Amino acid sequence: MAVTGNTHGFAQQDQQAQQAPRFDIYVRIHKALRAFMADTLLRVGRTDTDDEAELRGSLSQVRDLLSACEQHLHKENDYVHAAMEARVPGSTTRIAHEHETHMAEIRALRALTDRVGAVPAARADAIRELYRQLSLFVAENYEHMHFEETRHNAVLWASHTDMELLDIENRIVASLPQETVGVIARWMLPNVTPAERALMLAGIRDNAPAEAFTGLLDVCRTLLPMPDWMKLTRALGLPSGPTQAVWAAG
Ligand SMILES: [Fe+2]
């Protein structure tokens, strides 16, 4: 398991990250992943293995989570690490190694997930093991993401402009299959701040097809608590009624 340092080390890294008002390529996707991981772990922990539909739903969410994690680490390798290594050779060694470990863990968790679904008589034991192993995976990833948000950001901010970092993020988003964008949006939009959410939606409204904007607005309308929905519509200058009317009015 990855250990990023002592408490003093954490404080120093946090201070570094907080002092710099720079574009943070990790913040929103990591909030999405933290939420997805936490929700999935808790869902597995409360799953009734005698309820077929409930079990299927939980295992399906685990598989979706593992696919999202796999895709995320590949995008970090191909886009973020490539940019870092081009300007600061050796700066991604530790995290690249952890990504290899995570891939092996993802494969093991997939096999464990299949096992829960495959042997009805042993489901209770198998899902308990899945819960334990998934909790270790989540714990490792929380530490891993903290290291990226502090140490990797320090490298990125010293070696790249905000425009360059934004370009990297845009290229990552453009490379994602539509299905993946939908899954990420479902976990990202309810779990970022109102200001981050409004900025994302405004960017989509200004730069993407109308269907993309109305689709994400629908996600927000379905998932956000009413106060957050009101903040979003206010920030976007839209009425807070049905999405279709909102778009027509916009
Ligand atoms: Fe990573």
Side-chain angles (χ1 to χ4, degrees), residues 101-168:
T101 306
H102 290 171
M103 273 309 302
E105 290 167 352
I106 286 168
R107 282 192 291 274
L109 284 166
R110 278 203 179 109
L112 204 46
T113 306
D114 290 344
R115 216 169 79 209
V116 178
V119 188
R123 272 177 185 168
D125 287 342
I127 203 165
R128 202 173 303 120
E129 181 60 11
L130 175 62
Y131 177 71
R132 289 191 186 118
Q133 294 302 323
L134 187 60
S135 73
L136 290 177
F137 180 73
V138 170
E140 282 177 19
N141 271 275
Y142 273 33
E143 288 206 26
H144 173 91
M145 289 189 281
H146 182 272
F147 190 94
E148 291 174 331
E149 288 161 12
T150 53
R151 306 288 184 87
H152 272 206
N153 262 341
V155 172
L156 287 165
W157 291 335
S159 59
H160 290 72
T161 65
D162 282 351
M163 287 306 291
E164 288 174 323
L165 297 177
L166 189 58
D167 177 62
I168 294 169

Side-chain angles (χ1 to χ4, degrees), residues 82-249:
M84 291 170 71
E85 288 293 332
R87 296 190 185 173
V88 188
S91 58
T92 70
T93 304
R94 169 178 167 158
I95 287 298
H97 177 67
E98 288 185 13
H99 281 177
E100 287 173 17
T101 306
H102 290 171
M103 273 309 302
E105 290 167 352
I106 286 168
R107 282 192 291 274
L109 284 166
R110 278 203 179 109
L112 204 46
T113 306
D114 290 344
R115 216 169 79 209
V116 178
V119 188
R123 272 177 185 168
D125 287 342
I127 203 165
R128 202 173 303 120
E129 181 60 11
L130 175 62
Y131 177 71
R132 289 191 186 118
Q133 294 302 323
L134 187 60
S135 73
L136 290 177
F137 180 73
V138 170
E140 282 177 19
N141 271 275
Y142 273 33
E143 288 206 26
H144 173 91
M145 289 189 281
H146 182 272
F147 190 94
E148 291 174 331
E149 288 161 12
T150 53
R151 306 288 184 87
H152 272 206
N153 262 341
V155 172
L156 287 165
W157 291 335
S159 59
H160 290 72
T161 65
D162 282 351
M163 287 306 291
E164 288 174 323
L165 297 177
L166 189 58
D167 177 62
I168 294 169
E169 182 174 274
N170 287 339
R171 284 189 288 120
I172 292 173
V173 173
S175 74
L176 294 172
Q178 201 50 44
E179 189 186 326
T180 305
V181 172
V183 172
I184 291 172
R186 183 260 170 272
W187 292 102
M188 185 183 289
L189 288 170
N191 294 302
V192 294
T193 66
E196 289 167 337
R197 190 179 302 121
L199 207 59
M200 285 171 61
L201 267 292
I204 298 286
R205 180 172 60 181
D206 294 345
N207 300 301
E211 303 77 50
F213 178 69
T214 51
L216 292 182
L217 212 52
D218 271 339
V219 173
C220 289
R221 201 164 166 277
T222 307
L223 297 177
L224 291 182
M226 186 52 74
D228 282 340
W229 170 248
M230 301 293 283
K231 285 177 189 174
L232 180 64
T233 54
R234 208 161 41 237
L236 294 172
L238 300 172
S240 55
T243 305
Q244 210 49 46
V246 166
W247 175 243

Side-chain angles (χ1 to χ4, degrees), residues 62-83:
V62 173
R63 292 188 181 98
D64 287 347
L65 170 68
L66 297 175
S67 295
C69 291
E70 182 177 23
Q71 186 135 48
H72 174 66
L73 73 82
H74 283 310
K75 296 301 177 189
E76 284 186 344
N77 287 348
D78 295 347
Y79 292 87
V80 183
H81 290 197

